[in-house]
Amino acid sequence: MTASLEQLRRCHFAVDLGAARTRVYVKGEGLVVDQPSTAAVNTRTGALIAVGEFAEKMTGRTPHYIRVVRPVSGGTVVDIDMAQRMLRHLLGDKIRRSLRRKPRLRAAACTPHDADPLAQRATIETLVGLGARRVELVDTLIAAAVGCGLPVERPEATMIMVCGAAATQIAVLSLGSIVTAERIPVGGEAVDHAIVQHLRHAHELMLPSQSVRPLQLALSVDGLDSPGLMSTEIHGRDVATGLPRSVRVDTAAVRDAIETPLTAVLDGIGRVLRDCPPDLVADLAERGIMMVGGSALLPGLDRMLRQATGMPVNIAERPDVCAVQGLGAMLEGRIEPLTLNPLAA
C-alpha cells in the first residue's frame, strides 16, 4: 500500500480511473459516480459534447467532426486534460461545490500494481486539476481486496485476481502487503477482440465490439466450459459486399476462440504461485482465488479457473466496484491496522 491508513482517513474523496469505467466515492456520501470512461468532443470547436453512458452510446455512430475518446487506458491516464474535463462533468456542480468547501482537499486514487512513476504522476496531476491539494495513491490490488472483504491485514495468504477491461492483475497478499504479483495484458477487451476476429475469419462478418453482448448472453446460459451446443443470431456487415447480414453463430466455436487469451491468465496464475512461499501456497489451497473486476462476470470463467488450478474460485458480491469500495472503507476508517503486542523486556 503506497499510502498509510492514517493518511487515507484524511482524504475527502476517492477515484478509481479504469479503462472501462470511472467511479468516484465521496466520504460520508458513498459512491456518487459510476460511468464509462468515455467523452465525446467536437473537433471543430473543442467543446465537450457528452461524457459517460451517453458518450459510450455514441461510439461508432458519430459524424466526422465528433470524436469519442477514452482518456484512460489500462488504468493509466493518457490524456490529463480530457480526464479532468470528463471528471468535472461526471461529478456535477453540486458535488464539486461541496468538495471545494474543504479547507485542504485531499484525494485518493487507485493505480495498477506495476504503474511507473510517469503513470502515477499523470493520475496525481488529474486530481490536482480538480482542486486536490494532496493525492494519496493506493495499489488497485490492495483496494480491491479490502473492498471484497478479504482479511488483508492478517498474516494469512489471500489471492486476488482483478479482471479489468485492459489487463488482469493477480496477487498474493499477506500482512497488508503484496507478496508476489503479476500483470497480464489480457482483459475483457481482449476477449471481445477475439470474438470479433473469429466472426470476421469464420463468417466474413464485421461487427463492433459493442455488438458482442448477444454472444456474451448466449455464453451465460452454458458457460465457457460447457460442451452443450447452442447458437445465437448476430447482425453485422458483410466483409466482401459491405451490406448488412445476419448469421447464426455456434457458441462452442466462440468458446474455442476466447480460450487463447484466457490461457495467458492461467499462465500468470501459475507464475504467481511458483514465486509464492510454500507456507502461503498451503493457505491458498484452502481459501482459493477471489475474482473481482467487471470482466470477472464473464460466464463460466470461474469454473474454467477452478478446473485448471484445482483451487476454490469465488466471485465477489459486487466485483465491478470492489476497488472503489475498498478505497471508501479506508477513507471512512472502517479498516483497522494490525496491532502488534511485543513481549515486554
Side-chain angles (χ1 to χ4, degrees):
M1 188 183 301
T2 309
S4 67
L5 289 174
E6 185 60 34
Q7 292 172 324
L8 290 171
R9 287 194 186 99
R10 300 173 185 170
C11 294
H12 302 99
F13 72 103
V15 179
D16 178 17
L17 284 167
R21 298 185 75 86
T22 293
R23 300 176 176 93
V24 180
Y25 186 103
V26 176
K27 191 173 184 178
E29 297 184 23
L31 187 64
V32 296
V33 173
D34 186 0
Q35 295 278 341
S37 304
T38 312
V41 185
N42 188 327
T43 56
R44 294 174 178 172
T45 63
L48 197 62
I49 297 175
V51 295
E53 292 181 356
F54 188 40
E56 183 81 6
K57 293 177 182 178
M58 296 170 65
T59 303
R61 296 176 171 86
T62 60
H64 65 89
Y65 63 90
I66 296 179
R67 187 165 57 99
V68 178
V69 297
R70 292 182 177 272
V72 185
S73 176
T76 301
V77 178
V78 294
D79 188 339
I80 296 176
D81 179 64
M82 187 56 63
Q84 290 175 352
R85 296 174 68 185
M86 180 186 72
L87 277 172
R88 288 193 192 101
H89 282 77
L90 289 177
L91 286 171
D93 293 337
K94 182 179 178 181
I95 297 176
R96 284 191 288 125
R97 280 197 300 267
S98 64
L99 290 176
R100 280 200 296 263
R101 294 193 192 104
K102 309 295 182 183
R104 288 186 59 86
L105 186 63
R106 290 172 176 251
C110 289
T111 56
H113 171 65
D114 58 349
D116 54 41
L118 190 61
Q120 294 179 359
R121 189 65 191 172
T123 303
I124 294 173
E125 290 292 336
T126 300
L127 298 184
V128 167
L130 292 177
R133 301 288 297 273
R134 184 181 176 91
V135 179
E136 308 291 352
L137 300 180
V138 181
D139 197 300
T140 302
L141 292 164
I142 298 288
V146 172
C148 65
L150 292 179
V152 179
E153 295 294 334
R154 297 179 186 174
E156 304 171 356
T158 54
M159 190 170 188
I160 187 168
M161 186 167 79
V162 180
C163 307
T168 300
Q169 301 178 71
I170 307 164
V172 175
L173 311 175
S174 181
L175 289 172
S177 300
I178 296 173
V179 178
T180 178
E182 186 82 16
R183 183 179 185 272
I184 302 100
V186 173
E189 293 176 354
V191 174
D192 291 348
H193 180 72
I195 295 176
V196 170
Q197 291 301 311
H198 166 73
L199 293 175
R200 183 183 178 93
H201 296 147
H203 300 277
E204 296 184 349
L205 192 74
M206 292 181 63
L207 78 166
S209 297
Q210 289 181 326
S211 299
V212 176
R213 185 61 182 167
L215 274 178
Q216 300 279 19
L217 293 175
L219 286 174
S220 66
V221 177
D222 55 349
L224 298 180
D225 56 349
S226 174
L229 295 177
M230 289 192 61
S231 63
T232 185
E233 190 173 9
I234 295 294
H235 306 280
R237 188 179 73 181
D238 190 278
V239 173
T241 64
L243 298 175
R245 184 163 63 92
S246 300
V247 297
R248 294 206 68 85
V249 180
D250 182 13
T251 54
V254 176
R255 287 195 297 269
D256 294 338
I258 64 180
E259 278 183 1
T260 301
L262 294 180
T263 301
V265 177
L266 295 176
D267 294 341
I269 293 175
R271 289 192 295 270
V272 169
L273 292 175
R274 284 194 296 270
D275 295 339
C276 189
D279 291 343
L280 296 182
V281 175
D283 291 345
L284 296 175
E286 178 183 352
R287 296 184 179 89
I289 306 171
M290 178 64 76
M291 295 175 59
V292 301
S295 300
L297 298 174
L298 183 67
L301 178 58
D302 57 333
R303 293 196 295 273
M304 188 190 76
L305 294 177
R306 196 176 296 116
Q307 290 181 355
T309 62
M311 299 167 59
V313 178
N314 303 299
I315 302 178
E317 185 177 352
R318 293 193 61 192
D320 51 339
V321 297
C322 281
V324 71
Q325 292 288 10
L327 283 177
M330 297 177 194
L331 264 62
E332 304 284 2
R334 295 196 296 265
I335 307 300
E336 294 295 332
L338 179 68
T339 57
L340 301 177
N341 297 316
L343 296 175

